[in-house]
Amino acid sequence: MWPSQLSQPFQPRRPGEPRSFQAVLPPELWIHLAVVACGNRLEETLVMLKSAVLFSHRKIQFHIFTEDSLKPEFDKQLRQWPDSYTKKFEHRIYPITFSVGNPQEWKKLFKPCAAQRLFLPNSMIPTGLAWEDMLYPLYQKYKNAITWGDQDLLNIIFYFNPECLYVFPCQWNYRPDHCMYGSNCREAEHEGVSVLHGNRGVYHDDKQPTFRALYEAIRDFPFQDNLFQSMYYPLQLKFLETVHTLCGRIPQVFLKQIEKTMKRAYEKHVIIHVGPNQMH
């Protein structure tokens, strides 16, 4: 749900890559964040975009692919955010389109508009990547064996083209499976969650109350409020109610990025002068 405040403009630090890589990235580089939203996904998408603005220290370009009925509301909501936040991002809204094959067939592949994600490489990457040349023939060949729609098709594509695949570290796709049976993402324990994945509806039911609590805290957070008083402290109290779950017993995984954001805000606004006689 949220890109970390250590967000990368194109991709996170690769496993084994030295941390200094982060520091040498030019500060003017923007993060490009693409999302596909249809049906009842307006609120979830706005919460995700809000989290990106709250926890990223780089400017962001939002690329929103949505159906015509949602376009006005996306535009209205994003323009209503305070100036101190709208200056951190730009947004562009795109129609749902399928450049090859039967549009109605693509729309029925999985959940509404899910197949649009298969066409993001065409929209987001400069010409030169022959994505459609891989996509459509493989779809035609395997469509009768596909259960999970775009996810299955992506697996098929990258099985035949493994050199095109980048595997994210687990903290960049943190799911309930990483904690519901015991903590199994060491990177998240050390660095905190960078992207929270609310699959299987966990933001809206009681199966994983830690995930739901974090989603609702970001959704309800007033932009101009103090992050500690209106998000961090209430979340700590809320997490105490989730210790009956294994995810609720590792609250630091979910809180570290908020802590880092608060620390960065403090360092930005509070200047501490240290004289020569105070140096040790």
Side-chain angles (χ1 to χ4, degrees):
M1 183 181 59
W2 71 42
S4 150
Q5 73 270 24
L6 298 178
S7 302
Q8 310 309 308
F10 303 112
Q11 62 185 32
R13 178 170 55 91
R14 294 179 180 275
E17 193 168 41
R19 289 178 179 272
S20 58
F21 171 77
Q22 310 266 351
V24 300
L25 287 173
E28 67 274 10
L29 287 178
W30 287 48
I31 300 169
H32 287 264
L33 179 57
V35 63
V36 177
C38 287
N40 62 355
R41 298 289 182 161
L42 176 68
E43 180 193 278
E44 277 190 7
T45 306
L46 288 170
V47 173
M48 187 270 286
L49 299 178
K50 181 180 181 180
S51 72
V53 171
L54 286 173
F55 299 109
S56 176
H57 64 83
R58 292 183 180 273
K59 289 188 175 181
I60 309 175
Q61 176 72 56
F62 293 144
H63 302 270
I64 304 169
F65 294 79
T66 190
E67 54 196 348
D68 292 342
S69 60
L70 294 182
K71 290 179 183 179
E73 194 62 23
F74 268 116
D75 198 55
K76 174 185 173 183
Q77 294 285 343
L78 292 173
R79 293 184 188 280
Q80 287 179 347
W81 289 1
D83 291 344
S84 57
Y85 287 94
T86 56
K87 69 182 181 182
K88 295 177 63 177
F89 73 90
E90 294 179 358
H91 72 279
R92 182 178 176 186
I93 300 177
Y94 305 78
I96 299 295
T97 57
F98 305 98
S99 53
V100 295
N102 185 335
Q104 296 306 315
E105 188 175 350
W106 285 119
K107 289 179 181 179
K108 296 177 182 178
L109 183 61
F110 191 47
K111 293 183 178 180
C113 299
Q116 178 67 56
R117 297 178 295 202
L118 294 169
F119 293 86
L120 291 180
N122 287 345
S123 303
M124 305 292 299
I125 299 175
T127 56
L129 178 66
W131 180 255
E132 286 182 358
D133 294 340
M134 295 187 288
L135 172 67
Y136 196 59
L138 289 173
Y139 171 66
Q140 291 291 94
K141 182 177 181 179
Y142 291 101
K143 65 180 180 180
N144 293 327
I146 286 176
T147 302
W148 299 106
D150 59 315
Q151 297 297 308
D152 281 351
L153 192 51
L154 286 173
N155 288 339
I156 294 168
I157 290 171
F158 292 122
Y159 173 81
F160 290 106
N161 302 274
E163 72 284 357
C164 298
L165 178 66
Y166 174 71
V167 180
F168 277 83
C170 55
Q171 80 270 29
W172 282 86
N173 185 29
Y174 195 87
R175 301 154 52 99
D177 310 76
H178 287 115
C179 57
M180 62 191 294
Y181 306 113
S183 182
N184 58 30
C185 179
R186 184 164 296 183
E187 294 91 337
E189 294 178 20
H190 293 163
E191 302 177 19
V193 172
S194 295
V195 175
L196 195 67
H197 187 166
N199 62 314
R200 298 194 292 268
V202 293
Y203 292 150
H204 309 293
D205 61 30
D206 296 323
K207 294 178 181 177
Q208 295 300 330
T210 311
F211 282 71
R212 180 173 180 174
L214 185 52
Y215 173 84
E216 292 179 349
I218 294 174
R219 181 195 64 193
D220 299 337
F221 175 72
F223 272 110
Q224 304 291 25
D225 276 17
N226 179 278
L227 197 61
F228 177 82
Q229 293 177 338
S230 297
M231 184 184 295
Y232 183 77
Y233 181 66
L235 261 178
Q236 285 185 311
L237 297 179
K238 195 71 175 177
F239 283 170
L240 291 176
E241 302 173 9
T242 71
V243 294
H244 62 285
T245 69
L246 291 180
C247 294
R249 296 176 190 175
I250 50 172
Q252 71 278 6
V253 164
F254 302 92
L255 292 171
K256 279 192 176 185
Q257 298 300 350
I258 305 176
E259 293 171 356
K260 293 176 182 180
T261 300
M262 292 190 299
K263 179 181 179 182
R264 191 175 67 250
Y266 176 83
E267 293 172 345
K268 179 179 179 180
H269 294 102
V270 179
I271 301 175
I272 302 176
H273 297 278
V274 180
N277 294 333
Q278 296 172 278
M279 302 293 287
H280 297 283

